[in-house]
């Protein structure tokens, strides 16, 4: 996915949220865009490995930001929050070294 250089951090925040919140393979403009978190929801259960799986799925779906030069680095932290939710925090490091954090949660069921 190539959107060109974005200078506004608000745009990056929106791209992170849109990418994570879109089911991969279901966006008309790009079949590779989005996350595979919907697969976890279909499994219907959260266990001790879910937070790590959510973390990896988030990192995988945001890799395009690095590939397109919109980010130099992306980090993600996750934690279980009850029986149905995983909280996540993404830190995007811009090529100039400035950071932006985006936080939200994924509800598994």
């Amino acid at each position: 996915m190539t959107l060109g250089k974005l200078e506004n951090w608000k745009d990056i925040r929106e791209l992170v949220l849109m990418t994570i919140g879109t089911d991969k393979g279901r966006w008309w403009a790009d079949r590779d865009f989005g996350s595979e978190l919907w697969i976890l929801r279909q499994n219907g259960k959260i266990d001790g490995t879910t937070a790590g799986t959510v973390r990896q799925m988030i990192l995988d779906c945001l890799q395009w930001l690095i590939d397109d030069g919109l980010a130099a680095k992306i980090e993600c932290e996750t934690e279980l929050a009850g029986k149905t939710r995983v909280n996540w925090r993404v830190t995007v490091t811009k090529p100039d070294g400035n950071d932006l954090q985006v936080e939200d949660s994924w509800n598994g069921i």
Side-chain angles (χ1 to χ4, degrees):
M1 174 177 204
T2 302
L3 296 176
K5 299 282 183 188
L6 299 176
E7 299 301 325
N8 183 339
W9 272 115
K10 184 178 179 193
D11 291 339
I12 296 292
R13 179 183 307 279
E14 290 172 12
L15 288 173
V16 167
L17 292 170
M18 186 172 75
T19 303
I20 293 170
T22 299
D23 293 346
K24 186 173 186 173
R26 298 187 179 173
W27 189 42
W28 64 271
D30 186 343
R31 288 259 181 230
D32 292 325
F33 183 80
S35 75
E36 294 184 331
L37 292 172
W38 63 274
I39 294 170
L40 290 178
R41 186 171 288 113
Q42 286 184 336
N43 291 341
K45 67 177 184 171
I46 291 180
D47 61 26
T49 65
T50 304
T53 302
V54 167
R55 178 185 173 279
Q56 191 57 55
M57 287 180 164
I58 288 173
L59 290 172
D60 290 346
C61 78
L62 295 176
Q63 180 61 42
W64 76 270
L65 292 170
I66 295 171
D67 295 345
D68 282 6
L70 299 173
K73 180 171 71 169
I74 297 175
E75 297 175 335
C76 180
E77 299 173 24
T78 57
E79 67 177 359
L80 287 176
K83 294 182 180 183
T84 63
R85 193 173 80 222
V86 175
N87 294 333
W88 56 263
R89 178 183 313 125
V90 169
T91 303
V92 179
T93 302
K94 194 174 172 180
D96 68 7
N98 289 320
D99 290 339
L100 169 77
Q101 288 192 349
V102 182
E103 296 181 41
D104 205 342
S105 62
W106 173 78
N107 292 301
I109 298 179

